[in-house]
Amino acid sequence: MDDLSEVKKALGYGAVDRFVRDGMRLGLGTGSTAVWAARRVGELLAGGRLRGIRAVATSLQTELEARSMGIPMATLNDKGLEEGVDLTIDGADEVDAQRLLIKGGGGAMLLEKIVAYASRRFLVIIDDSKLSSRLGERFPVPVEVVEAAVGPVIRALGRLGAAAELRMGARKAGPVVTDLGNLLIDARFRGPFDAIALESELRLIPGVLDTGLFTRKRPELLVGHPDGTLDYRE
Ligand code: A5P
């Protein structure tokens, strides 16, 4: 299995088949890997092999995909979800040996973090290219900001040693606007950083809503390899 999209599909399907059970409240992640988990849930529900699911989407992408498959959708504000969700299945951009994450390549990290942190179990599904010896070595840290704070936040990130730039749309003029109506700044740090301290520091900058650093909830991992095997790390 050398096609990366086949590995992603195996991860999404494998995660659902191993961990999703009747009656669960589920968080459905965002991106080209997590979308396969939503598709598998939809397929099992349609075939009557899974029942009683209520799902919370982490993005418009996932919401549309899940609704098109007939998955019953809810929000964390709904009756019956006062305790959050049982399990969230989501992807990531980088995962280090301590299971600290960079997410937000798809710009959905704020909602992803809200749902992940409201989950009893948080399962991250990644192909093995996402395993990182130093967080930030390949992906910038995404920072979601209100529009009025773009300039000040870019300058504050510069003072912290990052090359920061506003994320621009592809096939859309101007910047990417998130599902929550905000803008994104990608911050590329040249050297190693303390992700836990950096997450806290960035959130203190006025106008920053959240970042793609996930350091407060260590996920379970399902790692996919090019030969098709999946490796579960608790
Ligand atoms: C979305 O904002 C991200 O956090 C995704 O979960 C992450 O970028 C992984 O996406 P892929 O599975 O498409 O690589």
Side-chain angles (χ1 to χ4, degrees):
M1 188 184 288
D2 52 13
D3 181 352
L4 190 55
S5 65
E6 286 300 315
V7 176
K8 292 179 183 208
K9 181 176 179 181
L11 280 162
Y13 273 50
V16 171
D17 291 349
R18 286 187 198 196
F19 299 109
V20 175
R21 298 288 173 261
D22 290 350
M24 274 189 165
R25 295 156 304 167
L26 280 182
L28 294 177
T30 298
S32 57
T33 315
V35 73
W36 288 108
R39 288 177 183 152
R40 182 59 169 165
V41 168
E43 187 178 294
L44 292 174
L45 285 170
R49 286 176 288 162
L50 185 64
R51 292 186 176 80
I53 296 295
R54 289 184 83 192
V56 177
T58 56
S59 64
L60 181 58
Q61 177 208 21
T62 313
E63 181 86 30
L64 292 173
E65 187 79 32
R67 285 191 182 279
S68 75
M69 302 206 64
I71 300 174
M73 302 303 290
T75 77
L76 292 173
N77 299 324
D78 289 355
K79 189 169 172 54
L81 277 91
E82 294 85 354
E83 305 296 322
V85 298
D86 299 299
L87 169 71
T88 291
I89 302 172
D90 203 352
D93 298 310
E94 268 188 51
V95 181
D96 76 3
Q98 282 75 49
R99 297 188 198 177
L100 305 177
L101 315 177
I102 293 181
K103 288 180 54 53
M109 71 279 186
L110 175 49
L111 205 47
E112 288 177 328
K113 197 179 278 188
I114 292 168
V115 177
Y117 284 27
S119 304
R120 193 167 59 77
R121 293 176 67 186
F122 178 33
L123 176 68
V124 165
I125 56 177
I126 49 163
D127 64 81
D128 59 12
S129 72
K130 308 275 188 71
L131 294 169
S132 167
S133 55
R134 176 177 71 74
L135 223 52
E137 67 184 347
R138 270 164 297 151
F139 279 86
V141 176
V143 181
E144 184 156 349
V145 298
V146 298
E147 183 195 333
V150 167
V153 173
I154 287 178
R155 290 188 283 277
L157 287 164
R159 288 192 291 276
L160 292 171
E165 58 179 27
L166 189 60
R167 191 181 298 183
M168 303 307 283
R171 304 185 64 207
K172 182 253 178 204
V176 170
V177 178
T178 69
D179 292 348
L180 302 173
N182 305 303
L183 302 182
L184 293 168
I185 294 169
D186 288 309
R188 207 170 275 285
F189 290 85
R190 278 171 280 279
F193 52 78
D194 175 340
I196 297 174
L198 184 63
E199 184 185 8
S200 299
E201 189 164 4
L202 295 181
R203 293 200 53 184
L204 291 175
I205 302 171
V208 169
L209 296 163
D210 216 323
T211 81
L213 291 169
F214 281 51
T215 68
R216 298 202 183 94
K217 188 167 183 125
R218 306 292 159 104
E220 299 163 52
L221 284 184
L222 192 63
V223 181
H225 303 284
D227 65 3
T229 56
L230 303 179
D231 166 20
Y232 172 65
R233 307 179 189 180
E234 221 171 329

